[in-house]
Amino acid sequence: MGAGRTVLVTGVSRDLGRTLARTLATDPGIDRVVGVDVVPPRGDLGDVTFVRADIRNPVIAKVIAKEDVDTVVHMSVIATPGSAGARGTMKELNVIGTMQLLAACQKAEGLRTLVVKSSTTAYGASSRDPAMFTEDMEPRRPARTGYAKDVVEVEQYVRGFARRRPDVTTTLLRCANVIGPRVVSPLASYFRLPVIPTVLGFDPRLQFLHETDLNRVLRHAVREDVGGTFNVAGDGLLMLSQALRRSGRPNVAVPGMAFGGLGSVLKSVRRADLSPELVAFLTYGRGVDTTRMRSELGFEPHYTTASAFAEFAASLPPGSRRTDQVLGALAERLPAVDDDRPAQLTLAGGTDG
């Protein structure tokens, strides 16, 4: 990569986007980094130039032109509304924002590289899934709502852009669930619950990507200019039961029919957002093949799935001393599986082999 490049990073008000922008600003092969978001970041941006702009507005094209941007890293496809507002606003930011950003990129004659952070949520999660998804596979059950549908639509627009601008290196990174001590996401919030609900009768396979490896792979994609779609995840898989034992978190097995209702309660008290796509993931799990990540993209994560989760688990606060009381109260609120089988409560602890 030659010197003098100018990189624009969207979504810098969130920690992952801000961290990436700061990291890129220290790269000797990059002249300037411009961070864009609708609200200023809470933390220090270092040498990054912040521009307050909404990617849903055509004004983003003026920002790209004025700053003479040749590389765009799109980090604004979000799984939680956060400061963005309600679900409708989140969809606008994800889908309409991406459409406007890509329209601006298409007009930018000097653009040479586009990197988009996507998610393995694009594959969905169902009982019909293959053991491992490769990049060429489609979801067995197409997403109909929520973040999963946003991801699918965003990827369609990115592929359309790549066809219209073959002169631009377009890299789409389908990242596994990002985890780490500083990560704020629906799955991280789930694991931070004082008592963790699981779907009775299911033990899903999980894959994780450590937050520092997310930063590394995005920086790698900017520097190496390798186009294509790539699954990105740490080596190996963890069963949910293993993750719970290793974290020492108490858990309660909830009948599938009651899981959605429990999710509504947790969302109402702002403890976790068990969206339909997250419930499906916590029921069936998902695994993705990362061969192309290594052989074509040339990237190797530092953390495995297990070690990424271990570092996250070490950051969790100790369980409540009132665990037994909490479990008992929760059990009373859950419906029975049938006339003779109440909901099952399990206190997780220790480690597994």
Side-chain angles (χ1 to χ4, degrees):
M1 181 179 69
R5 290 179 64 167
T6 300
V7 182
L8 182 143
V9 180
T10 68
V12 295
S13 70
R14 294 177 177 248
D15 287 342
L16 294 176
R18 177 175 59 86
T19 301
L20 174 67
R22 281 180 57 108
T23 302
L24 291 174
T26 65
D27 192 305
I30 294 175
D31 187 44
R32 290 191 308 122
V33 177
V34 179
V36 173
D37 215 322
V38 291
V39 295
R42 292 189 300 270
D44 182 20
L45 271 177
D47 293 330
V48 176
T49 300
F50 176 69
V51 176
R52 189 166 186 166
D54 190 338
I55 63 171
R56 293 168 292 184
N57 191 303
V59 72
I60 190 64
K62 296 181 180 179
V63 175
I64 292 174
K66 179 182 177 182
E67 301 294 340
D68 198 21
V69 171
D70 56 72
T71 301
V72 170
V73 183
H74 186 27
M75 295 279 288
S76 290
V77 183
I78 57 174
T80 52
S83 59
R87 163 62 193 155
T89 306
M90 171 182 151
K91 180 177 176 62
E92 285 184 11
L93 184 62
N94 287 345
V95 179
I96 305 302
T98 297
M99 288 176 63
Q100 288 287 4
L101 179 67
L102 294 178
C105 288
Q106 186 171 340
K107 297 175 184 176
E109 295 181 0
L111 190 72
R112 294 292 172 264
T113 303
L114 171 67
V115 179
V116 178
K117 178 198 170 292
S118 186
S119 169
T120 55
T121 301
Y123 296 115
S126 77
S127 59
R128 301 166 55 198
D129 288 351
M132 304 291 273
F133 279 100
T134 65
E135 289 86 348
D136 299 323
M137 292 181 176
E138 299 288 334
R140 298 303 170 90
R141 289 183 179 173
R144 294 183 176 86
T145 60
Y147 172 63
K149 189 171 186 291
D150 291 355
V151 170
V152 171
E153 291 186 30
V154 164
E155 289 201 358
Q156 289 173 345
Y157 293 128
V158 172
R159 286 191 291 271
F161 169 83
R163 289 192 295 270
R164 293 189 298 271
R165 286 292 303 268
D167 58 310
V168 175
T169 300
T170 302
T171 308
L172 187 67
L173 302 176
R174 285 183 183 149
C175 300
N177 291 90
V178 178
I179 204 160
R182 298 177 300 168
V183 170
V184 178
S185 71
L187 189 62
S189 297
Y190 167 79
F191 280 115
R192 290 185 176 115
L193 289 170
V195 179
I196 299 178
T198 63
V199 182
L200 182 64
F202 293 88
D203 193 11
R205 300 167 303 141
L206 311 177
Q207 262 180 323
F208 298 117
L209 179 67
H210 193 276
E211 58 184 315
T212 60
D213 281 329
L214 172 65
N215 186 288
R216 289 180 59 243
V217 73
L218 288 162
R219 188 172 76 241
H220 177 89
V222 168
R223 296 185 60 173
E224 300 302 320
D225 280 339
V226 180
T229 300
F230 304 96
N231 294 332
V232 183
D235 252 0
L237 295 161
L238 269 182
M239 307 304 291
L240 178 57
S241 60
Q242 291 177 307
L244 294 177
R245 286 196 295 273
R246 294 179 186 190
S247 68
R249 311 299 281 178
N251 59 86
V252 53
V254 180
M257 68 183 76
F259 206 85
L262 180 59
S264 298
V265 173
L266 292 172
K267 185 176 181 179
S268 69
V269 296
R270 298 184 178 181
R271 294 305 301 266
D273 184 3
L274 300 183
S275 62
E277 61 263 24
L278 182 56
V279 171
F281 179 65
L282 294 172
T283 304
Y284 303 109
R286 180 169 54 244
V288 298
D289 182 275
T290 56
T291 301
R292 190 179 293 180
M293 174 189 76
R294 293 178 172 83
S295 63
E296 296 182 26
L297 185 61
F299 179 75
E300 182 71 39
H302 284 166
Y303 287 81
T304 64
T305 284
S307 62
F309 185 79
E311 184 171 304
F312 169 76
S315 72
L316 295 174
S320 170
R321 296 177 182 177
R322 298 176 59 249
T323 293
D324 290 340
Q325 294 172 311
V326 173
L327 289 170
L330 188 54
E332 292 176 1
R333 293 171 178 261
L334 294 175
V337 180
D338 55 37
D339 292 340
D340 302 315
R341 294 175 59 203
Q344 296 181 3
L345 301 174
T346 305
L347 180 63
T351 59
D352 63 338

